[in-house]
Amino acid sequence: MLTGLLGSNDNLLPIHANPVKRSSPSLPVRAKPRTVVLIAFPGLQLLDAAGPADVFASANAAAGRPVFNVVMASSGGGLVTTSSGVTLGTEAVGHIRADQVDTVIVAGGAKPGLVAALQDRTLADWVRAAATTARRYGSVCSGAFALAHWGLLDGHRATTHWSAAHSLRRLYASTTVEPEALYVNDGRVWTSGGVTAGIDMCLSMVEQDLGRTVATQVARELILSTRRLGNQSQYSRLLDLQAGRYAKLMVWMRARLHEPLGVERLAEFAAESARSFHRHFEAETGETPAAFVESLRLQAAKEQLEAGASIKAAAQAAGFSSDEQLARSFRRRLDMTPLQYRAVHSP
């Protein structure tokens, strides 16, 4: 959906003449609800705003008190039409005191609306002003382009929809882009991948504020099968089994993860020379054959751990030579141990 985002507008110049001053306000103990402002614009992705709104509203119910006051806001206020045609009622940002906002989240959306938002001086000035005092600010999906364009991601780690990550990295070199991360929390700055990843990010915010028990209650209320951590990949490699030049090979690989899967054997199944296969496979998938096999094995091991399997059993079922090899793969790919993953995701 977001492939080629910005396209001919890649030459847009950042408009942040005065970089935001970054403070680190502590979380005060107070009865007054914390104001969460969700920034909307014409053509925004509905779930980018509705998902976070439901998370914070459900957190209020789970906490038994109004912890968060959610406000949908836009540059001029009034009705804003989303990319799906649904309209949202919004408050004009000029009617909201920027220095009274606790959390600001910019939604993502379709290219025309996003490009217009990038150049909207009223919106840019308000978000940048709010970011100087807000306890945290961030974005969902392509909303990261707005933050980056306004200078709010300079020197920070961030993510966006995986298909637009390359454009974000190319356009805003001062931002360290983590293309596969589900969401990234870097100090006061929060960014998430596409669409539903915004829900995972906001659940993590709720956990930061109210604890894991409340965050888990919210996840259950929203009928989520599991809470996903930020260091998980935005998309499953299993989706790649369903299409593409090597679809049949991938299905064959998936059924033989416990067997040796060297490049020569894979090339033989694909009826190509090893050299040609390696080149074509990397061009098709973005990974070398060896890295892709590891991705599949890691996915299989995660499924085993989610079902409550032991580390050793998960390693064997996924085709890893040992539980130590599985642990190394987890640390390198997910920055966590298999035991930590199982503790969070198993029943």
Side-chain angles (χ1 to χ4, degrees), residues 137-340:
Y137 63 89
S139 61
V140 178
C141 198
S142 58
F145 283 86
L147 293 184
H149 195 67
W150 299 334
L152 297 174
L153 295 185
D154 289 354
H156 285 286
R157 296 181 297 110
T159 192
T160 186
H161 192 284
W162 60 267
S163 68
H166 178 69
S167 293
L168 184 65
R169 176 183 288 154
R170 184 180 68 254
L171 288 167
Y172 305 102
S174 60
T175 300
T176 301
V177 180
E178 300 184 3
E180 287 203 7
L182 198 64
Y183 61 86
V184 173
N185 173 211
D186 187 17
R188 297 191 301 122
V189 182
W190 295 70
T191 53
S192 78
V195 198
T196 60
I199 293 175
D200 298 288
M201 179 182 74
C202 292
L203 278 171
S204 187
M205 291 180 178
V206 168
E207 179 173 342
Q208 182 185 74
D209 293 352
L210 301 175
R212 177 172 294 186
T213 298
V214 171
T216 300
Q217 289 176 337
V218 173
R220 288 172 178 166
E221 178 67 22
L222 297 179
I223 319 295
L224 301 179
S225 59
T226 183
R227 282 195 56 205
R228 301 182 295 178
L229 301 180
N231 52 14
Q232 287 186 254
S233 177
Q234 289 187 33
Y235 61 98
S236 170
R237 287 295 176 190
L238 297 181
L239 294 177
D240 293 329
L241 300 176
Q242 300 174 15
R245 173 173 180 167
Y246 294 108
K248 292 182 180 180
L249 171 64
M250 293 178 187
V251 173
W252 181 85
M253 292 162 62
R254 178 68 176 169
R256 292 166 177 78
L257 292 179
H258 59 287
E259 301 176 10
L261 293 175
V263 66
E264 291 81 6
R265 189 179 183 196
L266 301 181
E268 181 180 4
F269 182 89
E272 299 179 25
S273 69
R275 184 174 180 178
S276 294
F277 169 76
H278 192 286
R279 183 177 68 256
H280 295 155
F281 188 90
E282 187 168 6
E284 176 76 12
T285 67
E287 288 189 293
T288 65
F292 195 91
V293 169
E294 183 184 45
S295 296
L296 289 181
R297 284 181 170 146
L298 190 61
Q299 180 65 35
K302 287 161 62 177
E303 292 170 359
Q304 291 288 320
L305 294 171
E306 288 166 9
S310 68
I311 310 302
K312 185 174 182 178
Q316 290 178 342
F320 287 95
S321 60
S322 64
D323 48 352
E324 289 82 5
Q325 185 188 36
L326 173 62
R328 287 195 297 271
S329 181
F330 257 83
R331 284 193 294 269
R332 184 175 65 256
R333 294 287 192 105
L334 302 176
D335 194 28
M336 67 190 310
T337 67
L339 189 61
Q340 289 171 326

Side-chain angles (χ1 to χ4, degrees), residues 29-43:
V29 177
R30 58 184 180 182
K32 184 178 179 181
R34 302 163 192 154
T35 299
V36 178
V37 177
L38 304 176
I39 299 296
F41 52 85

